[in-house]
Amino acid sequence: MSEPEIDAVVFDVLGTLVDEPGGIRAGIRALDPSLDDSGVEQLLSLWQRHIDREQRRIVAGVRPYLTSDLLDLEAARLVADAVGVGDPAAVAALARAGRRLTPWPDTVAGLARLAERFPLIGLSNASRAALLDINAHAGLRWHQALSAEDARTYKPDPAVYRLAVSVSGRPPERLLMVAAHAWDLRAAQELGLRTAYVARPVGDPPAPSDRFDLRADGLAALADLLDQARGRDRRGPRS
């Protein structure tokens, strides 16, 4: 891939740039400090299954659209009920745990490096309000941050990826979608975006059949690959 083919970079946020499961784990531990690691993991799984199922139902048109804030509140209530906590304030605090997320060690520096060369667009299933808090807490640098709330659906609905295409003013093939989730990249690919898989401790690894444009161990490695592509382009074709 030659560098001029990419005019802007679009980033998934949850899991790709910030440790979403880690933030929810911390919220669960605060809700019930007596839980052991196994108990926390079971409740985290309960939360994640609910969010995944309900977002899929919304994308399929089975359920009317709800913001991620309301889905998080539903998940928090399920978790609280499972441990016998009925305090509304405690449930509300747990629901907001997904806004206090730690960036991966290379995230902030990697975004800063890439922002020197490309417009950066965040594209998240998090609500506008949640995305604002996530960005502020983690220190994420964007030129534009977009929420699936603006499309009133969730990734992998094509309408969400069209938000980035529309805002960028570029054709899809000149945007690079970066994510730690293969399902996210497949959906972007179907709309014509270029794709880059970045490995994280969480996420959805590629299947053997996946053909993404780039694969990297982190943002520094991704920036290196794009720098190498730019160098090749400057040298021109070999004769």
Side-chain angles (χ1 to χ4, degrees):
M1 181 181 64
S2 59
E3 187 271 342
E5 295 178 352
I6 299 301
D7 291 337
V9 182
V10 182
F11 277 95
D12 170 62
V13 178
L14 303 177
T16 301
L17 298 179
V18 293
D19 181 5
E20 183 187 23
I24 298 169
R25 282 191 191 95
I28 293 171
R29 291 187 187 281
L31 180 74
D32 186 352
S34 69
L35 288 167
D36 59 16
D37 289 346
S38 175
V40 170
E41 292 305 310
Q42 289 177 13
L43 293 172
L44 173 63
S45 178
L46 175 64
W47 176 299
Q48 291 174 324
R49 289 197 307 272
H50 177 78
I51 296 297
D52 181 66
R53 180 179 65 249
E54 296 310 308
Q55 286 184 350
R56 289 179 182 275
R57 293 180 67 214
I58 289 169
V59 170
V62 175
R63 184 179 186 184
Y65 175 75
L66 292 175
T67 67
S68 70
D69 303 322
L70 293 176
L71 294 182
D72 285 349
L73 184 58
E74 290 179 351
R77 286 172 176 154
L78 287 174
V79 170
D81 287 347
V83 296
V85 174
D87 178 12
V91 174
L94 176 58
R96 295 179 66 85
R99 300 186 180 202
R100 302 183 296 274
L101 305 179
T102 302
W104 300 116
D106 67 348
T107 291
V108 174
L111 288 179
R113 180 178 168 187
L114 289 165
E116 294 176 355
R117 291 183 48 210
F118 301 101
L120 302 187
I121 301 171
L123 185 65
S124 179
N125 275 343
S127 71
R128 289 189 292 266
L131 190 56
L132 178 65
D133 286 348
I134 291 166
N135 290 344
H137 182 82
L140 304 185
R141 175 180 178 180
W142 301 116
H143 298 109
Q144 184 81 41
L146 303 174
S147 166
E149 183 178 357
D150 292 317
R152 295 187 63 79
T153 184
Y154 289 98
K155 293 187 288 181
D157 192 310
V160 180
Y161 305 92
R162 291 192 189 103
L163 293 173
V165 175
S166 176
V167 164
S168 73
R170 276 87 166 181
E173 64 271 17
R174 299 188 74 88
L175 302 181
L176 179 68
M177 179 75 197
V178 180
H181 316 290
W183 63 263
D184 200 355
L185 296 176
R186 293 183 199 116
Q189 213 168 36
E190 289 180 4
L191 200 64
L193 280 72
R194 307 299 292 272
T195 52
Y197 171 76
V198 175
R200 294 303 195 197
V202 302
D204 172 34
S209 58
D210 285 319
R211 296 292 181 267
F212 302 134
D213 295 288
L214 296 172
R215 298 192 186 198
D217 291 335
L219 295 197
L222 176 63
D224 287 342
L225 289 173
L226 291 172
D227 283 344
Q228 291 167 14
R230 178 175 61 174
R232 287 194 299 269
D233 179 74
R234 284 179 174 175
R235 289 193 297 270
R238 286 182 158 180
S239 58

